[in-house]
Amino acid sequence: MALRVAPLSAPTIGWGLSASPNLLPLRSLGIVAAIGLALILNGTVESLSGNQATGVACLALLVFGLPHGSLDIALLRNQSKLNGWQVLTAVLAYLGCAALVYVVWHETPVLALAAFLCIACIHFAEDWTAAQPPFFALATASAVLTLPALLHQKMMGEIFVRLTGNATASVLADFAKMAAPVALVAAIVGVVVAWRGRRTTEAIETATILLGMIFLPPIIGFAAFFCLSHSPRHFAAAKNSFRGDRRHLNFEALTLTVAGLGIAALIYASARQGLPDDKMIVASFITLSILTVPHILVPRLFARQRLRSIEGGITRERPLYQTAQSSHGKI
């Protein structure tokens, strides 16, 4: 008797654009309005790149950015039917991975920053795999991270130096400026592909994000993308991937988000830099970094383990995190 095997792949954390189709137009409108207003202010108010605006943007990254990974353990528990010991193992894996990333930041901050940018690029590319071919999705993510260097290279380099406490980190801004034109051209092609594929809303949203990353101060532009597009997209998709009763999910997300804010507070208090705005940059971006790595890796490790455990069965279950299917494939 032939076995019927449904495909199972390692999960991606970017569940995809189709995870929340009803919210997509509203979210896109919000992005257009917010970045449009910020662009207007950028031409008339120099303080948009000042310490106060930077501090607010960093705080927004934590408050509105952390929740999108707060349901990872709940999804692992729910969809893989983990017992108590397995849940504990997952939690310890998250904490161990986060601790390791923090050690790397502490010992070699420039290397940690470079690695984080590469990991973030791969992670952000998942946002566009449903609307664009994988190459153009990766190019769009690369553009999001490199475009600020086109008009704000010096500012971007200063942010990297403030983040790492090392003057050599400004070299990463130089690399970003060299890569930005190529990434932008490929990202524009991706927007055209999405438009021609009748992904009109996604195309407009992506084009607006790219404009924001070019013209806005780096942290403001990144906060707009992360808080208005990336985080709500993933949080909604995570809730949609949950099987069964979802009533407790918001409480669990709030609890773990508060825990993440506690980590940020500890990093803020122990930051080497003395100025409050520098410490805020350090706290927000290092916290995002040490939580992003386990957010990406741990579910994949559990998925691979789950695949091995059901080898030889009659059927293979669907991926732990349901990703929007695209005719173009996956990153």
Side-chain angles (χ1 to χ4, degrees):
M1 176 176 142
L3 297 179
R4 183 179 179 182
V5 180
L8 174 65
S9 62
T12 56
I13 307 303
W15 293 273
L17 289 165
S18 67
S20 53
N22 294 331
L23 296 178
L24 183 58
L26 181 60
R27 189 184 68 235
S28 298
L29 179 62
I31 293 171
V32 171
I35 293 184
L37 178 60
L39 287 171
I40 294 173
L41 291 176
N42 191 37
T44 57
V45 182
E46 294 182 359
S47 61
L48 189 61
S49 59
N51 294 338
Q52 184 175 3
T54 297
V56 171
C58 289
L59 183 61
L61 285 172
L62 295 173
V63 174
F64 300 106
L66 293 184
H68 85 277
S70 59
L71 297 178
D72 290 350
I73 298 296
L75 287 169
L76 282 170
R77 184 181 67 246
N78 175 260
Q79 297 188 9
S80 291
K81 307 301 180 183
L82 303 183
N83 59 35
W85 287 108
Q86 290 172 324
V87 172
L88 179 60
T89 300
V91 172
L92 292 177
Y94 263 82
L95 294 177
C97 188
L100 179 61
V101 176
Y102 179 76
V103 170
V104 175
W105 270 103
H106 188 270
E107 298 299 325
T108 57
V110 178
L111 177 61
L113 175 59
F116 174 52
L117 292 174
C118 293
I119 292 171
C121 182
I122 296 172
H123 181 45
F124 292 157
E126 297 169 352
D127 291 4
W128 284 281
T129 52
Q132 300 178 11
F135 172 79
F136 295 109
L138 187 62
T140 302
S142 301
V144 168
L145 294 175
T146 60
L147 286 180
L150 287 179
L151 300 181
H152 304 288
Q153 179 186 5
K154 182 179 178 181
M155 188 184 302
M156 191 175 185
E158 290 174 351
I159 291 170
F160 288 164
V161 171
R162 294 162 72 182
L163 177 57
T164 62
N166 191 319
T168 61
S170 61
V171 174
L172 296 177
D174 299 334
F175 284 125
K177 187 170 185 178
M178 290 188 291
V182 177
L184 177 59
V185 171
I188 291 174
V189 174
V191 171
V192 173
V193 170
W195 183 277
R196 290 175 62 87
R198 298 184 179 181
R199 297 271 190 165
T200 307
T201 306
E202 291 96 322
I204 294 174
E205 178 181 330
T206 302
T208 306
I209 290 170
L210 295 176
L211 285 173
M213 297 310 297
I214 292 174
F215 293 104
L216 293 176
I219 291 182
I220 301 295
F222 181 76
F225 158 69
F226 199 84
C227 298
L228 296 175
S229 177
H230 180 76
S231 182
R233 175 197 308 262
H234 286 228
F235 186 74
K239 291 186 70 174
N240 289 343
S241 297
F242 197 86
R243 302 172 184 173
D245 188 1
R246 304 178 187 176
R247 288 177 296 179
H248 66 285
L249 288 183
N250 289 335
F251 176 77
E252 184 163 345
L254 177 62
T255 301
L256 293 180
T257 298
V258 171
L261 292 174
I263 294 174
L266 292 175
I267 294 175
Y268 180 92
S270 62
R272 298 170 182 172
Q273 292 83 349
L275 297 177
D277 52 312
D278 290 339
K279 295 173 71 172
M280 196 64 195
I281 292 174
V282 170
S284 58
F285 282 95
I286 291 184
T287 299
L288 289 178
S289 173
I290 66 176
L291 295 179
T292 294
V293 175
H295 172 57
I296 295 173
L297 293 181
V298 173
R300 284 179 167 84
L301 294 176
F302 270 80
R304 291 183 184 279
Q305 178 62 36
R306 190 166 65 106
L307 175 59
R308 287 195 296 268
S309 68
I310 59 177
E311 285 288 351
I314 295 179
T315 182
R316 296 181 182 178
E317 299 177 11
R318 67 177 181 147
L320 176 62
Y321 294 91
Q322 184 63 47
T323 307
Q325 297 298 316
S326 168
S327 59
H328 304 302
K330 300 180 182 179
I331 288 293

